[in-house]
Amino acid sequence: MTIYVGNLSYRATEDDLRAVFAEYGTVKRIVLPTDRETGRMRGFAFVDMTEDAQEDAAITELDGAEWMGRQLRVNKAKPREENNNRRAGSRRDDY
């Protein structure tokens, strides 16, 4: 399972997140997506922990908590959806 962490401060770093989530168990991976054009953090992250029970505890405790002046949204990440509209302007099937 992967945890989605939303409404993050743009000042938050991977080390900051690791410190917070380490209170609930071992953190395997943290992903902080950045904007392609500006390189600025996008305000959300994904966190993977070693055990589902640790992830559940972190979600329960951190969802709605205030951190770095923002109220966090923490929940199970939804699977990434395939984007079937990549070539929406060139639909050859309609002819």
Side-chain angles (χ1 to χ4, degrees), residues 8-72:
L8 279 178
S9 167
Y10 293 107
R11 295 174 296 141
T13 66
E14 183 176 327
D15 289 339
D16 293 333
L17 284 168
R18 190 171 302 280
V20 169
F21 280 86
E23 294 181 26
Y24 302 96
T26 304
V27 176
K28 285 195 306 190
R29 180 178 75 128
I30 294 175
V31 177
L32 278 166
T34 56
D35 184 271
R36 290 180 193 167
E37 293 178 18
T38 65
R40 184 176 168 192
M41 198 178 103
R42 295 179 62 195
F44 64 92
F46 297 100
V47 178
D48 291 333
M49 300 182 78
T50 56
E51 296 181 25
D52 287 349
Q54 296 171 350
E55 291 178 337
D56 290 337
I59 290 169
T60 300
E61 293 296 319
L62 296 174
D63 187 39
E66 187 170 322
W67 187 61
M68 291 186 150
R70 314 267 316 235
Q71 186 174 2
L72 297 178

